[in-house]
Amino acid sequence: MDILDLDAHAQADALARRQFSAHDLMQATLARIDAINPVVNAIVSLQDPDALLAQARAADAAEREGWLHGIPIAIKDLANAAGLPTSQGSPLFAGQIAQSDDLMVARLRAAGAIVIGKTNTPEFGLGSHTYNPVHGRTRNPFDPSRSAGGSSGGAAAALATRMLSVADGSDMMGSLRNPAGWNNVYGMRPSWGTVPPSPEGDMFLHQLSTAGPMARSPTDLAMLLDTMTGPDPRLPLCQHSHACAPTIAEDPGALRIGWAGDWGGAFAVEEGIMTFSENALRQLESMGHHVAALKAPFDADAMWQSWCDLRSFAVAGGLADIYDDPARRDALKEAAQWEVGRGVALGARQIQQASEIRSDWMRAATALFQKIDVMVLPSAQLWPLDGTLDFPKRIAGRAMDTYHRWMQVVIPASLIGLPVVNIPCGFNDDGLPGGLQLIGPRGSNARLLQLAQQWHVETLWPQTRPPEV
């Protein structure tokens, strides 16, 4: 078997048994990147191959540091990895070299990972479509004319094409879910606070985004999540969490699954998405779970207004200094200028009202999860979109009034920090992948991973390789 077809935990086991070397794995990885990356453009800022091979030889000669010892990984280009550029997809930061690792990256290195480069992302991670003026467009491996999704589109495409066996990502508005669904892999947004951010800047107000793992198997999701997690004394809101990998193979039992569909018609959904999703739900039912349709458990318009205000408030917090500088504002893409313009115009009362709506939804969701164990939604409201578009302007005849309205389906989990695992569910008649969001109450990371593992054993969808591979 091609060693690049192995999941990361299988690679780790083979390395520990010296069935092949880290040097062998790095050679194979670099050869795959050389062959495939020109097609999909997923890996950016790749480091010097000779230097990477030298690091792999050093790993072979050293004592094992952790389960990732000798395994190549590329970091999403929103996070800092010492010695590598962190462009964030923006010309304003192109070529800027990180002086230190972000906390999550430091933990991956401490587990033995070899950082080979970065994975592509939209500018500042805004938009579920990976393209930017620094590194260009990431293409979908199953149809290079289509989008790989975003903002972790580079990571998802690299996993699908076997350029990486495991990857980090981040998720504010579906960035670990949409690209996972569109690339036939797994992505997990853990409960907010499970993976601590770096202790920089504001550490209290902006509770929308989180880092998380992506992989071709739930076991790898669990192992990478366990590596990323753990409280940091400098951070006030991170949570203690139990390791998920040791229990990944446990039977989650017969779960009560609530199918939220298109949220009572509130979400515009492309033809075929609902039928595709319901076919997967029937398979979950055949595995012993009870599936029932849900009425919309909260007002979608109120949720959307809360989300837009809190998201703009958060984006403005990070980019307002650039926006306020006339010499640099025009370097921001239109979506970023729109977000910051909204954010700086918000008053305290509007922000408070947005947070109160979020609190109301949290109370409603808590009550809902007394009746069900898992809520299910599609990973995205449409199939992978035309890669030449900036965003879809209409879905099912309904106009999209913002650059991100087409990803409204991810808001129920994002707004209140619920854990979500995207599971790949196969392909439509055009060969395009899709997935489902498995959403649980806060703190249910382990149970969602057990359900995803049960699904994986039944389906093995990520073993279906893209045509280029």
Side-chain angles (χ1 to χ4, degrees), residues 25 56 84 97 100 109 118 158 166 170 182 217 250 275 286 290 306 308 331 351 372 401 416 425 430 432 447 459:
L25 181 56
L84 278 72
I97 304 299
S100 61
R109 287 202 209 255
K118 307 299 281 288
V166 71
S170 57
W182 281 4
S217 73
E250 291 183 5
T275 300
S286 74
H290 177 70
S306 172
C308 286
I351 296 169
I372 64 171
D401 56 351
I416 55 176
C425 297
D430 295 321
L432 298 175
R447 184 165 60 184
T459 62

Side-chain angles (χ1 to χ4, degrees), residues 129 131 137 144-147 385-391 393:
H129 179 20
Y131 70 97
R137 190 179 308 275
S145 73
R146 304 279 185 147
S147 170
L385 62 92
D386 181 342
T388 64
L389 300 175
D390 49 359
F391 65 90
K393 305 304 189 293

Side-chain angles (χ1 to χ4, degrees), residues 27-114:
Q27 274 191 319
T29 297
L30 292 172
R32 179 62 53 83
I33 291 171
D34 185 60
I36 299 297
N37 202 51
V39 177
V40 297
N41 190 36
I43 304 287
V44 300
S45 302
L46 182 68
Q47 297 302 285
D48 177 70
D50 289 336
L52 292 174
L53 289 167
Q55 289 184 55
R57 288 192 294 271
D60 286 326
E63 293 292 326
R64 288 182 62 79
E65 297 176 304
W67 81 277
L68 286 170
H69 189 92
I71 292 181
I73 196 166
I75 304 300
K76 186 174 176 179
D77 199 24
L78 298 181
N80 290 308
L84 278 72
T86 309
S87 77
Q88 301 182 67
S90 170
L92 293 168
F93 298 106
Q96 178 174 284
I97 304 299
Q99 300 303 304
S100 61
D101 288 335
D102 283 352
L103 178 60
M104 176 270 298
V105 178
R107 290 178 172 183
L108 300 182
R109 287 202 209 255
I114 300 175

Side-chain angles (χ1 to χ4, degrees), residues 114-457:
I114 300 175
V115 178
I116 65 171
K118 307 299 281 288
T119 55
N120 204 19
T121 182
E123 185 178 333
F124 299 115
L126 298 176
S128 286
H129 179 20
T130 298
Y131 70 97
N132 64 68
V134 179
H135 295 298
R137 190 179 308 275
T138 297
R139 299 172 186 87
N140 192 301
F142 292 91
D143 181 347
S145 73
R146 304 279 185 147
S147 170
S151 62
S152 305
L159 286 167
T161 54
R162 279 61 175 169
M163 292 189 285
L164 298 175
S165 60
V166 71
D168 74 289
S170 57
D171 187 309
M172 178 185 275
M173 193 175 176
S175 296
L176 284 159
R177 292 166 276 165
N178 168 36
W182 281 4
N183 287 272
N184 190 40
V185 298
Y186 292 88
M188 182 178 189
R189 177 192 169 101
S191 287
W192 195 90
T194 302
V195 179
S198 284
E200 300 167 354
D202 173 71
M203 298 189 295
F204 287 91
L205 288 178
H206 302 303
Q207 301 179 37
L208 296 180
S209 183
T210 181
M214 302 185 81
R216 293 193 300 270
S217 73
T219 297
D220 284 357
L221 284 186
M223 294 182 72
L224 194 64
L225 179 64
D226 289 348
T227 304
M228 293 175 162
T229 59
D232 185 290
R234 298 167 293 179
L235 291 161
L237 300 175
C238 57
Q239 302 175 356
H240 291 270
S241 59
H242 297 291
C244 292
T247 63
I248 185 69
E250 291 183 5
D251 186 346
L255 299 178
R256 300 165 298 171
I257 295 176
W259 167 231
D262 61 1
W263 211 263
F267 304 155
V269 178
E270 192 171 53
E271 183 178 355
I273 293 288
M274 295 293 282
T275 300
F276 176 87
S277 300
E278 288 162 1
N279 287 340
L281 286 162
R282 280 192 287 273
Q283 188 164 2
L284 280 169
E285 202 162 31
S286 74
M287 292 161 55
H289 304 294
H290 177 70
V291 179
L294 292 177
K295 293 182 179 179
F298 196 76
D299 183 82
D301 290 337
M303 192 182 296
W304 179 249
Q305 186 62 51
S306 172
W307 175 260
C308 286
D309 288 349
L310 292 171
R311 177 178 166 96
S312 291
F313 174 53
V315 173
L319 298 178
D321 288 346
I322 296 172
Y323 182 85
D324 289 341
D325 181 352
R328 297 195 293 167
R329 179 185 296 184
D330 287 345
L332 296 174
K333 73 176 186 179
E334 184 179 342
Q337 293 189 42
W338 178 81
E339 290 277 22
V340 179
R342 288 191 79 253
V344 298
L346 290 169
R349 184 176 179 83
Q350 289 170 283
I351 296 169
Q352 177 68 21
Q353 287 174 337
S355 192
E356 288 174 356
I357 292 170
R358 173 168 59 175
S359 301
D360 287 341
W361 166 224
M362 182 66 192
R363 284 183 277 270
T366 301
L368 175 65
F369 284 114
Q370 298 299 311
K371 302 173 183 177
I372 64 171
D373 300 305
V374 180
M375 179 170 66
V376 175
L377 285 164
S379 295
Q381 292 165 227
L382 71 169
W383 303 106
L385 62 92
D386 181 342
T388 64
L389 300 175
D390 49 359
F391 65 90
K393 305 304 189 293
R394 303 184 73 84
I395 298 178
R398 200 182 306 181
M400 299 292 100
D401 56 351
T402 69
Y403 80 101
H404 55 6
R405 171 75 81 162
W406 61 283
M407 286 301 297
Q408 192 173 358
V409 73
V410 303
I411 297 309
S414 290
L415 187 60
I416 55 176
L418 300 180
V420 192
V421 175
N422 170 83
I423 57 170
C425 297
F427 303 84
N428 70 3
D429 291 341
D430 295 321
L432 298 175
L436 287 178
Q437 299 178 74
L438 306 180
I439 305 168
R442 286 177 62 82
S444 63
N445 293 329
R447 184 165 60 184
L448 290 178
L449 285 164
Q450 290 165 4
L451 177 57
Q453 175 67 10
Q454 188 183 59
W455 173 260
H456 183 66
V457 170

